[in-house]
Structures are given as structure tokens and as C-alpha cells.
Amino acid sequence: MTSAYVLNGPNLNLLGKREPEIYGKTTLADVERSCLEVANELGWDLEFRQTNREGELVDWIQEAGQAQAAGDAVGVVLNAAAYTHTSVALHDAIAGSGARVIELHISNVHRRESFRHLSYVSPVAAGIIVGLGVAGYPLALRALADLSERS
Ligand code: CA2
């Protein structure tokens, strides 16, 4: 079955447990459930993962790119969290693997500190969803479906 990857970066394991005024009260397990509903509807397997390690995100993006090239995956919803703003390695992994990536942020990073305004992911992303809360995750999966049908 075709897979969709939802990859989450550092500290997102704390979602719903800390800073609810910024990120809300929904946990990452709740987000996974909402993604599973959409994946089931679209007939996809879901690879929903979180890591605090940059290199692990690089490995997973390469894995997704290879699966996509083999016709076994539609792409990646990527909330790279703080690595968004720092990681040339993630930029290179996306560009080098050819993975179709929707960049996602729960908060509106453009209303926050200026260091969150720069993204190394955006120039190699197919699209970006920012500031819609955790509702952005299922929307991003639907966007992957649209994009993969069009290409
Ligand atoms: O808004 C987003 O989704 C972010 O990617 C979240 C990152 C932040 O560094 C980005 O600028 C924007 C932070 C993820 C940490 O998540 C936490 C959740 C709850 C409590 C503490 C951290």
C-alpha cells in the first residue's frame, strides 16, 4: 500500500503537555489519530514519527524519497520544528532525495521571533501550511493527495 510520512522534529513530543498558549492542548498522539483517519480515507499507510535528532530526520527523509521514487509513497508532511530554522542538512536531504515535502508549522512563525522567519525547508518544499494549529496536519495530507495526483 502507498505510504504517507508525517515527520516531527525536536520537542514536539511535548505537544499538549507544555506551552498550551502557543501550541494548544492537543497531544502528538491525538495528531497521529487525526492523520490516521485521513490516511485511511485516502487508502494510505501512515508513517507517523517524532525524533529529537537531526540526523534521524535526514535518514527518514531519504527513506521517504526512495519510497516515493519506487511509487510506494506520496511524500512527507514535515514539521521540522527548530531544525527548520537551522538545518542545511534537512534542506539538502529534501533536495537530494526528491521527496515531496509539505512544510508544516502549528504556530504562525511569522508572528513570532524573527529567528523563526527563516526556513531552510521552504525553498525545497512543495507547499507550506503555517499557523492553522494541529488542524494543519490532516490538511497537509490532503494537499499531498492533490499534489501527487497532479504530477
Ligand atoms: O509552530 C510549529 O509547529 C514549530 O515548528 C514548533 C517548533 C518551533 O521551534 C518552530 O519555530 C515552530 C517548536 C516545537 C516544540 O514544541 C513544543 C510543544 C509544546 C511545548 C514545548 C515545545
Side-chain angles (χ1 to χ4, degrees):
M1 204 191 288
T2 306
S3 295
Y5 287 75
V6 179
L7 304 181
N8 295 283
N11 298 307
L12 283 163
N13 51 313
L14 300 176
L15 197 65
K17 300 171 183 168
R18 303 266 192 285
E19 301 191 70
E21 64 289 354
I22 302 177
Y23 299 111
K25 290 186 178 166
T26 308
T27 66
L28 203 59
D30 296 327
V31 175
E32 180 171 12
R33 273 188 285 275
S34 71
C35 288
L36 255 179
E37 273 179 31
V38 175
N40 287 341
E41 181 191 319
L42 295 168
W44 297 340
D45 275 336
L46 185 68
E47 293 290 339
F48 190 98
R49 303 178 189 173
Q50 188 273 332
T51 181
N52 292 331
R53 290 166 189 80
E54 184 177 12
E56 194 156 33
L57 277 178
V58 168
D59 288 343
W60 290 345
I61 288 164
Q62 289 186 9
E63 176 189 318
Q66 282 166 12
Q68 187 186 313
D72 295 331
V74 280
V76 180
V77 175
L78 176 63
N79 186 347
Y83 291 139
T84 305
H85 316 300
T86 63
S87 180
V88 177
L90 279 183
H91 174 108
D92 290 351
I94 297 165
S97 69
R100 179 186 292 114
V101 169
I102 307 282
E103 177 181 356
L104 181 140
H105 300 288
I106 297 166
S107 63
N108 182 351
V109 286
H110 299 291
R111 292 184 68 169
R112 300 182 65 192
E113 304 95 325
S114 58
F115 63 81
R116 297 186 203 275
H117 299 173
L118 171 69
S119 168
Y120 287 92
V121 172
S122 296
V124 285
I128 307 168
I129 293 181
V130 167
L132 300 181
V134 292
Y137 281 83
L139 288 173
L141 285 173
R142 293 190 190 283
L144 271 185
D146 279 354
L147 289 174
S148 67
E149 273 168 27
R150 278 197 265 136
S151 66

